[in-house]
Amino acid sequence: DIVYGWARGVVGAVLADQMAPDTFTAKSIVFGITIWAACIISSPCNEWRGYTLQPPDKKLPFGEYFKPVNYARSTGIGATIMGVALCIGMLVTPYAESACAVMKDNALYSGIGLAIIVVAAYVVTK
């Protein structure tokens, strides 16, 4: 989505300038806020796209299609989920990279551990 990309770039630059995050955690929080704001800013375009892509045989007039309460609720919830998820994703990435490096260095033990997990999952679901 072009508007989302533009909004993310502009909002990210403004927030980084205004908030000046200096720690990794602060940068992650600013990133989450940026994503949240970009989702909100681009949401009218997504609503318009949904309206224009309706099947011709079931097409509703705009007044019936657009429900402000539903729009606000789904936009707010969706933007919050996306912002929080990407913020947390940024926070856990260094730990995931470290864990993957350890698993790569210890491939035999990683394979044995994976086999144990698969067998345990099979036994539990049986």
Side-chain angles (χ1 to χ4, degrees):
D1 192 38
I2 294 170
V3 176
Y4 170 80
W6 169 84
R8 185 170 162 177
V10 170
V11 171
V14 169
L15 287 178
D17 184 50
Q18 294 297 314
M19 298 177 81
D22 56 350
T23 66
F24 182 69
T25 302
K27 289 177 184 176
S28 298
I29 292 169
V30 169
F31 179 63
I33 296 169
T34 299
I35 300 305
W36 176 82
C39 288
I40 299 290
I41 291 167
S42 68
S43 67
C45 297
N46 296 331
E47 192 74 13
W48 180 255
R49 181 177 56 216
Y51 172 73
T52 60
L53 293 176
Q54 293 181 85
D57 58 328
K58 296 180 183 179
K59 188 167 184 162
L60 298 173
F62 188 76
E64 287 180 40
Y65 178 83
F66 181 71
K67 308 264 192 275
V69 171
N70 294 350
Y71 165 73
R73 181 180 56 237
S74 66
T75 298
I77 291 170
T80 301
I81 290 170
M82 184 73 78
V84 170
L86 291 178
C87 172
I88 291 173
M90 186 172 176
L91 288 169
V92 302
T93 296
Y95 300 106
E97 288 175 341
S98 296
C100 288
V102 168
M103 288 188 290
K104 183 179 177 184
D105 292 342
N106 300 292
L108 177 64
Y109 295 118
S110 298
I112 292 169
L114 178 61
I116 291 170
I117 291 171
V118 168
V119 169
Y122 176 74
V123 168
V124 168
T125 59
K126 197 166 186 187

